[in-house]
Amino acid sequence: MSRLGRKLTWRISAVVIGVFVLSILLNQFFLPKYYFHEMNQRVTQAMKDVEHWDKRKIETDMAQLEKKYDVTIVAEPLGTSVDSLNEMLGLALSRKQIALNRFWVTAETVEQLKNGAIVNKLYDQGKQKSSFLVSLNEKDGLLVLAGVSIADYNETAKIINEFNFMIMLFGTILVVALTGFFSRKITKPLEELRIVADHISKLNFEKVAIDTKDELEDLATSINVMSDDLKTAHHELLRRNKDLKYFMADLTHELKTPLALIKAYSMGIEDGLDDGTYMKTIVKQTDQIGLIIEELLRFSKMEADPINIEKLEVRALFDGLLANYQDMMDVDVRIKSEADPKIMILADRVKMEMVFNNLLTNAMKYGVTKQIKIEWQEQDGKLYFLIQNKTTIRDAAVLEHLWKPFYVREASRNKNFSGTGLGLAIVQTVMEQHKYDFGATLQDDWITFYLIFDKA
């Protein structure tokens, strides 16, 4: 049995034993007093009712009062001697099957009754192991007695306590057994939860199956959800750490080349080898380093900045950006649309402009022809955007690396365009912030980048 099971068993058993012991003590010391109080209340209340009756009513309605309070009531004239009075009271009680071996109304008691007092007395019956509690009153020349037999409760309490003690022994054994059984049913799921929690703390993201239809099952469900979330977060962290290593290596490579050129041309100037172009080369490479740093700062800030969601006519937004590119560059853009041009989405306007700008720039830089295909589709409540260009990529496994910063996608990429290699990384970050799907596919010699938006 587990530690919690033992605690439950012994503590519940202690409570049960304590209840039995308290019951025995109450029976022994307080129940007799309570019993006497209740009997005394009966005869006293009966006598209070007699106070409001006359002699005729007492003689005719005595049985009704006896039944009401479950007492014995007799009435005899006070005019006779004390001995005669006691003899008549004894006979009257005998007729009502009350046999007393110790009962006597004294002259002093009679005198008190004649003076208007109500007298209560308790007559111990000795070996009969009982007592007779009476309340005496005088009403219109009659001595009215209301009495009730009281058992010797000490003997009764002793018998009850002996019985309770046996019940306590049996109950304790039963409680220990049942508590052990039920505590096992409680602690077993808890032990399973502890083991799973321990495995999770060691990055072994397991689940637990508990079917108890109570809070333990709810707790298990919460732990399973937590395990899934932690597993996802852990894998994402590992992926990001791996990407960070590649990122630092690529960043070092991107900075190393211009720095090496700056150093070489600076040494050439120092040695008097400048043919008039060295300084231009140094300035150009310095500008390239500055561009990389600015893009890195923008990329870092973009991940931290909150998104400002608004309703956008995404098609109109894209067409405006595309017009700027067509004016500046000689490209053949072919657009196919099967979607309503007025479709609205919920997005951050500035960040969505960055997404489309980077996709257009990417297609123009790395396409092996000047032809770009753009397509809009609408289905199942979603809006699809696709942009295609011819590529030299032939291995589909390369596609998952395209979203990494500074990833060199094609050995033959166009060097006439400057850039930082952060374009698709920015696209990924913005789409993830908006919780919209995105990706890339490869078919023949065409590469397709796609975005999937939820319609507003």
Side-chain angles (χ1 to χ4, degrees):
M1 186 183 294
S2 66
R3 288 175 294 175
L4 180 59
R6 288 195 295 270
K7 284 183 180 180
L8 286 173
T9 300
W10 292 118
R11 288 180 182 180
I12 294 176
S13 299
V15 170
V16 173
I17 293 172
V19 170
F20 276 117
V21 170
L22 181 62
S23 174
I24 290 173
L25 292 176
L26 289 174
N27 287 339
Q28 186 67 35
F29 297 105
F30 296 101
L31 192 55
K33 294 179 180 180
Y34 178 75
Y35 176 67
F36 178 80
H37 170 76
E38 286 295 309
M39 296 297 104
N40 190 53
Q41 282 291 104
R42 287 188 190 180
V43 295
T44 301
Q45 194 60 45
M47 198 54 67
K48 285 182 179 179
D49 286 2
V50 171
E51 279 285 304
H52 305 291
W53 290 8
D54 55 21
K55 180 178 181 180
R56 184 169 176 275
K57 187 172 179 64
I58 292 173
E59 292 174 344
T60 56
D61 295 342
M62 190 183 300
Q64 179 182 348
L65 195 61
E66 286 181 320
K67 184 176 181 181
K68 179 179 179 180
Y69 292 106
D70 194 20
V71 296
T72 301
I73 301 176
V74 296
E76 296 295 338
L78 270 176
T80 58
S81 65
V82 173
D83 291 341
S84 298
L85 177 62
N86 280 295
E87 184 177 350
M88 288 187 294
L89 287 173
L91 289 172
L93 290 171
S94 296
R95 285 195 292 270
K96 295 192 175 185
Q97 299 181 347
I98 303 296
L100 303 176
N101 57 14
R102 294 183 182 182
F103 175 77
W104 192 261
V105 179
T106 64
E108 181 182 358
T109 301
V110 173
E111 192 63 28
Q112 290 176 336
L113 295 174
K114 289 180 179 180
N115 291 331
I118 296 178
V119 179
N120 289 347
K121 283 184 173 292
L122 181 67
Y123 295 95
D124 185 5
Q125 301 305 301
K127 292 184 178 180
Q128 290 184 3
K129 299 294 183 182
S130 66
S131 299
F132 191 62
L133 176 64
V134 300
S135 181
L136 302 169
N137 193 11
E138 185 273 333
K139 191 68 176 177
D140 296 336
L142 290 177
L143 185 151
V144 183
L145 178 151
V148 62
S149 294
I150 300 176
D152 185 354
Y153 203 80
N154 289 329
E155 289 293 327
T156 304
K158 182 180 178 181
I159 295 172
I160 292 175
N161 287 338
E162 288 177 355
F163 179 76
N164 282 344
F165 182 74
M166 290 185 290
I167 292 293
M168 183 183 71
L169 290 178
F170 175 77
T172 300
I173 295 172
L174 183 62
V175 165
V176 170
L178 291 178
T179 304
F181 172 75
F182 287 113
S183 65
R184 174 62 179 167
K185 292 181 71 68
I186 295 174
T187 57
K188 184 179 179 181
L190 288 175
E191 179 64 16
E192 293 178 10
L193 291 174
R194 185 197 65 79
I195 293 173
V196 169
D198 184 57
H199 287 170
I200 292 175
S201 69
K202 297 175 181 176
L203 304 182
N204 184 11
F205 302 103
E206 294 185 357
K207 291 186 179 181
V208 61
I210 292 178
D211 184 17
T212 56
K213 302 296 187 296
D214 55 22
E215 287 78 2
L216 286 175
E217 184 174 345
D218 294 340
L219 177 60
T221 301
S222 298
I223 288 179
N224 289 339
V225 172
M226 179 186 69
S227 179
D228 287 338
D229 291 345
L230 287 175
K231 183 178 181 180
T232 302
H234 178 65
H235 289 168
E236 179 65 17
L237 183 61
L238 292 177
R239 183 186 69 80
R240 286 182 174 271
N241 286 341
K242 185 178 179 181
D243 290 346
L244 181 60
K245 292 179 181 179
Y246 289 121
F247 175 81
M248 294 305 297
D250 292 338
L251 176 60
T252 301
H253 176 76
E254 291 289 329
L255 293 175
K256 184 177 180 181
T257 300
L259 286 173
L261 289 172
I262 290 172
K263 181 178 179 180
Y265 280 90
S266 297
M267 292 174 65
I269 293 174
E270 188 179 36
D271 294 337
L273 302 176
D274 187 5
D275 60 358
T277 62
Y278 281 29
M279 187 57 68
K280 290 182 180 179
T281 302
I282 291 174
V283 171
K284 181 179 178 181
Q285 297 303 318
T286 303
D287 290 341
Q288 180 65 14
I289 293 174
L291 178 62
I292 292 174
I293 293 173
E294 287 178 7
E295 285 293 306
L296 283 173
L297 290 174
R298 188 180 298 113
F299 180 62
S300 177
K301 185 174 183 296
M302 182 192 61
E303 288 192 312
D305 284 348
I307 57 175
N308 300 312
I309 297 296
E310 59 179 298
K311 278 189 175 182
L312 297 177
E313 283 190 14
V314 64
R315 176 70 182 275
L317 176 68
F318 175 78
D319 288 346
L321 297 172
L322 178 60
N324 295 331
Y325 282 92
Q326 288 178 309
D327 291 341
M328 293 185 297
M329 297 184 178
D330 181 20
V331 290
D332 177 18
V333 180
R334 300 183 181 183
I335 300 177
K336 178 183 178 182
S337 178
E338 299 175 357
D340 183 353
K342 298 293 185 180
I343 285 180
M344 308 285 285
I345 68 167
L346 296 175
D348 185 309
R349 177 181 293 274
V350 175
K351 293 191 174 184
M352 204 50 61
E353 286 180 352
M354 296 172 64
V355 168
F356 288 128
N357 276 327
N358 283 310
L359 288 176
L360 285 168
T361 302
N362 183 79
M364 293 176 184
K365 282 183 181 181
Y366 307 120
V368 296
T369 68
K370 292 184 178 182
Q371 187 180 94
I372 298 175
K373 295 180 181 179
I374 294 171
E375 187 173 350
W376 295 91
Q377 298 177 3
E378 181 184 357
Q379 52 182 301
D380 300 328
K382 295 184 181 294
L383 177 65
Y384 292 77
F385 169 79
L386 301 92
I387 182 168
Q388 298 175 295
N389 62 270
K390 283 198 171 184
T391 181
T392 57
I393 298 175
R394 295 296 179 264
D395 185 4
V398 173
L399 297 182
E400 64 180 273
H401 301 290
L402 296 180
W403 311 100
K404 297 177 182 177
F406 303 114
Y407 181 74
V408 181
R409 293 180 288 281
E410 303 179 58
S412 61
R413 69 180 180 179
N414 195 338
K415 298 294 183 180
N416 295 322
F417 296 95
S418 62
T420 60
L422 291 173
L424 292 179
I426 291 174
V427 172
Q428 179 185 31
T429 300
V430 173
M431 295 300 288
E432 287 179 346
Q433 286 179 331
H434 285 77
K435 294 182 172 56
Y436 288 148
D437 290 333
F438 64 97
T441 60
L442 187 65
Q443 186 174 6
D444 298 329
D445 54 351
W446 287 86
I447 186 169
T448 302
F449 291 92
Y450 63 86
L451 309 176
I452 304 176
F453 304 101
D454 294 323
K455 293 194 296 184

